[in-house]
Amino acid sequence: MNFYIIGTVVKLKNEQKVMITGYYPIIIEEKQIFDYLGCMYPEGVLDSKQNIFFDKNDISEVLWNRTINDRNEKIIIKLNLFEKSNQKEMIQKKLI
């Protein structure tokens, strides 16, 4: 999986427009880890309880993708390595 960089705007399968704001958020209470953290678009963060947690397979369309630079590229490489090493699954198992 190639990750989208922070600031990318996507449409989810439920038609919600979301701007990506982070990677691999964990909800401890629900014992769940996701691929992405986002906020409503174009509204932004109005309340910390409005964070949107979603996985790559929830994305139906990319509406706007930021231009990648050297710093973003380094982060994307690390995220891809994290995913290839099955770290997400290992963390999920530890949460349960």
Side-chain angles (χ1 to χ4, degrees):
M1 168 186 168
N2 274 326
F3 284 82
Y4 297 111
I5 60 176
I6 291 175
T8 299
V9 179
V10 297
K11 186 192 302 187
L12 302 182
K13 291 178 181 174
N14 65 6
E15 298 297 315
Q16 189 173 23
K17 293 178 183 174
V18 178
M19 183 174 70
I20 295 171
T21 59
Y23 306 105
Y24 290 119
I26 298 173
I27 302 177
I28 299 294
E29 302 81 25
E30 295 180 21
K31 299 180 179 177
Q32 199 167 5
I33 183 171
F34 295 88
D35 295 328
Y36 291 106
L37 173 67
C39 66
M40 296 183 302
Y41 181 84
E43 296 88 343
V45 178
L46 303 174
D47 181 332
S48 63
K49 295 177 184 172
Q50 293 177 325
N51 284 322
I52 300 166
F53 302 89
F54 60 102
D55 289 315
K56 58 189 171 203
N57 59 359
D58 296 321
I59 299 172
S60 66
E61 182 181 353
V62 176
L63 301 175
W64 186 76
N65 198 357
R66 287 191 48 209
T67 304
I68 197 159
N69 61 33
D70 290 342
R71 188 172 179 190
N72 300 130
E73 188 173 20
K74 289 176 185 176
I75 293 169
I76 297 300
I77 289 170
K78 288 179 182 179
L79 289 167
N80 285 325
L81 289 172
F82 182 85
E83 183 178 54
K84 286 180 184 174
S85 66
N86 293 319
Q87 291 295 314
K88 181 180 175 186
E89 289 79 13
M90 290 171 54
I91 291 170
Q92 184 69 48
K93 287 177 185 175
K94 288 182 180 180
L95 290 172
I96 299 173

